[in-house]
């Protein structure tokens, strides 16, 4: 009897231990496929470990409910875009070989680069569930997602608060891949989100694009002007706004060098918005006016020198007065935001 009782006790202890181990395993699995892994996926994204983030998000997507799936899909969109930019930097040489302008490249070298990238992206896509692909371009090829995550997000969460952020990411990607189409995309973005939180960011993009000269407003010059004016009303103390002018004459000549002997490269219309790129070291006398020459850029991508007589600074005080509830201050880099009461 004593032996049988001891045997039963041992058997019960073994069963209890097995049950305890099973409970621990179930608990760990639940953490892996629920909230615990979401945090690790976000941490991986924040740490710029985009492939690791996408792997974790892929597992979560298989079991996520409608509510949690919104965040999963959002971070999949963010991570795949960031990964594409990272891969473009890592494989810049191979992408250059595949560019349309590189006609003198050895065909064997081009084929080798293409196969290398194809193999690399196939492996990444299988591991992460992404849809990255090499796209041809005039100067160099691009690595971009085909947009499956974004389309899935839109189809499931049409009214999501995350859509504006994802659309802004699309603009940033366009600035990297097709800067000549940026102003047109910014115009569409602003019409869709007229009260956007990203106003200062898109204005900074407009400034940088105009300075670079590779832009085309595609008929949306007035809209670009309106965006900049809205920014001036909201952030009147920004030093960048002090570099914005309106043309005070009509069909004013832009020249390739400061001075009336410079070759005419284009004309500026009255009230056209201009960004100052440079200013001449000395003033010049033209007729009864003495002023500096300014090198400027227009939203249409035109750049050249214009005499200061034909420039009128933005009246930021009037802009701010027109929208007193939106008067803010901002530093030169469009980052610090501080409400003015």
């Amino acid at each position: 009897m004593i032996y049988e009782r001891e045997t039963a006790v041992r058997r019960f202890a073994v069963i209890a231990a097995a049950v305890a181990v099973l409970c621990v395993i179930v608990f760990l699995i639940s953490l892996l496929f629920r909230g615990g892994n979401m945090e690790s996926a976000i941490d991986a994204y924040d740490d710029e470990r985009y492939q690791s983030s996408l792997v974790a998000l892929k597992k979560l997507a298989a079991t996520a409910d409608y509510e949690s799936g919104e965040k999963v899909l959002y971070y999949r969109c963010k991570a795949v875009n960031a990964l594409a930019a990272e891969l473009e930097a890592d494989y810049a040489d191979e992408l250059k070989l595949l560019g349309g302008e590189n006609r003198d490249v050895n065909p064997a070298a081009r084929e080798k680069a293409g196969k290398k990238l194809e193999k690399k992206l196939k492996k990444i896509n299988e591991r992460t569930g992404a849809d990255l692909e090499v796209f041809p371009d005039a100067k160099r090829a691009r690595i971009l997602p085909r947009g499956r995550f974004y389309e899935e997000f839109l189809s499931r969460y049409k009214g999501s608060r995350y859509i504006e952020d994802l659309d802004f990411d699309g603009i940033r990607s366009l600035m990297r891949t097709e800067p000549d189409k940026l102003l047109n995309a910014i115009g569409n973005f602003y019409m869709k989100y007229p009260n956007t939180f990203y106003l200062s960011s898109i204005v900074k993009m407009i400034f940088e694009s105009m300075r670079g000269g590779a832009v085309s407003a595609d008929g949306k010059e007035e809209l670009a002007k309106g965006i900049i004016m809205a920014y001036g009303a909201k952030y009147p103390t920004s030093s960048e706004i002090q570099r914005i002018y309106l043309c005070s004459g009509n069909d004013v000549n832009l020249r390739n060098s400061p001075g009336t002997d410079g070759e005419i490269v284009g004309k500026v219309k009255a009230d056209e918005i201009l960004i100052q790129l440079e200013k001449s070291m000395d003033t010049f006398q033209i007729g009864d006016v003495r002023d500096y020459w300014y090198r400027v850029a227009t939203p249409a991508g035109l750049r050249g020198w214009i005499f200061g007589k034909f420039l009128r600074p933005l009246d930021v005080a009037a802009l701010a007065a027109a929208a007193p509830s939106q008067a803010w201050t901002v530093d030169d880099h469009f980052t610090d935001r501080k409400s003015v009461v």
Side-chain angles (χ1 to χ4, degrees):
M1 289 290 294
I2 295 174
Y3 174 76
E4 290 177 355
R5 189 180 304 141
E6 290 177 347
T7 301
V9 170
R10 284 196 297 270
R11 187 180 297 117
F12 176 79
V14 170
I15 293 173
V19 171
V21 170
L22 181 61
C23 289
V24 171
I25 292 173
V26 170
F27 175 72
L28 291 175
I29 291 175
S30 68
L31 285 180
L32 178 63
F33 287 97
R34 292 181 186 174
N37 207 37
M38 188 68 225
E39 292 183 6
S40 66
I42 294 174
D43 287 342
Y45 172 80
D46 290 338
D47 293 339
E48 299 182 0
R49 293 181 289 112
Y50 303 122
Q51 288 196 51
S52 297
S53 179
L54 284 167
V55 169
L57 291 166
K58 179 182 178 182
K59 295 178 181 177
L60 285 166
T63 58
D65 57 22
Y66 181 81
E67 185 176 350
S68 61
E70 181 182 19
K71 184 175 284 188
V72 171
L73 272 177
Y74 167 71
Y75 274 100
R76 289 186 93 178
C77 291
K78 300 278 286 185
V80 76
N81 287 334
L83 177 58
E86 181 180 78
L87 290 171
E88 278 206 347
D90 292 343
Y91 294 94
D93 292 340
E94 288 81 0
L95 292 170
K96 189 175 181 180
L97 286 174
L98 297 173
E101 288 185 350
N102 298 319
R103 299 172 183 173
D104 297 331
V105 173
N106 187 306
R110 187 191 297 271
E111 182 180 2
K112 182 179 179 181
K115 288 183 177 180
K116 178 180 179 179
L117 287 177
E118 182 181 356
K119 182 178 179 181
K120 179 69 177 179
L121 294 183
K122 181 180 179 181
K123 183 177 180 181
I124 291 174
N125 288 338
E126 289 175 350
R127 179 169 179 254
T128 64
D131 58 348
L132 295 168
E133 189 173 319
V134 176
F135 289 85
D137 190 81
K139 293 184 178 180
R140 68 170 190 172
R142 300 287 182 180
I143 296 177
L144 300 168
R146 295 194 65 87
R148 178 166 52 83
F149 292 161
Y150 180 76
E151 292 300 326
E152 185 179 354
F153 188 95
L154 286 184
S155 66
R156 294 185 63 187
Y157 305 101
K158 292 182 180 179
S160 173
R161 64 192 186 280
Y162 295 129
I163 293 177
E164 181 180 349
D165 183 65
L166 294 178
D167 287 347
F168 176 70
D169 274 359
I171 290 178
R172 288 197 297 189
S173 177
L174 198 65
M175 187 173 185
R176 173 174 59 87
T177 58
E178 297 179 279
D180 58 314
K181 298 179 180 178
L182 181 64
L183 283 183
N184 192 44
I186 286 177
N188 293 332
F189 178 85
Y190 187 71
M191 286 190 291
K192 186 176 181 181
Y193 307 106
N195 299 312
T196 180
F197 175 80
Y198 296 107
L199 178 60
S200 61
S201 298
I202 62 175
V203 169
K204 182 179 180 180
M205 290 181 182
I206 292 174
F207 286 176
E208 291 178 352
S209 296
M210 289 173 68
R211 287 173 184 144
V215 297
S216 173
D218 192 24
K220 289 187 168 60
E221 291 87 351
E222 284 301 311
L223 182 56
K225 176 181 174 181
I227 295 172
I228 294 172
M229 300 283 272
Y231 175 80
K234 194 170 185 179
Y235 304 107
T237 62
S238 168
S239 64
E240 290 288 343
I241 287 299
Q242 312 309 315
R243 302 170 70 88
I244 302 299
Y245 296 91
L246 297 176
C247 182
S248 60
N250 194 30
D251 290 333
V252 180
N253 293 328
L254 279 186
R255 300 179 181 273
N256 66 355
S257 61
T260 54
D261 56 344
E263 181 182 345
I264 296 175
V265 295
K267 291 183 179 291
V268 184
K269 299 177 182 178
D271 292 327
E272 187 169 354
I273 200 162
L274 304 167
I275 290 181
Q276 176 191 330
L277 304 177
E278 298 177 52
K279 186 170 78 171
S280 62
M281 295 291 292
D282 301 312
T283 58
F284 291 73
Q285 185 77 35
I286 299 180
D288 58 352
V289 177
R290 189 168 190 85
D291 207 332
Y292 293 93
W293 280 83
Y294 294 80
R295 184 167 176 263
V296 297
T298 73
L302 188 61
R303 293 188 295 175
W305 291 87
I306 187 172
F307 191 50
K309 170 186 175 180
F310 300 105
L311 296 180
R312 183 175 76 252
L314 277 185
D315 188 349
V316 292
L319 291 175
S325 62
Q326 296 188 16
W328 296 53
T329 60
V330 65
D331 72 2
D332 294 352
H333 304 288
F334 302 86
T335 53
D336 294 340
R337 304 176 185 195
K338 179 180 178 183
S339 180
V340 176
V341 181

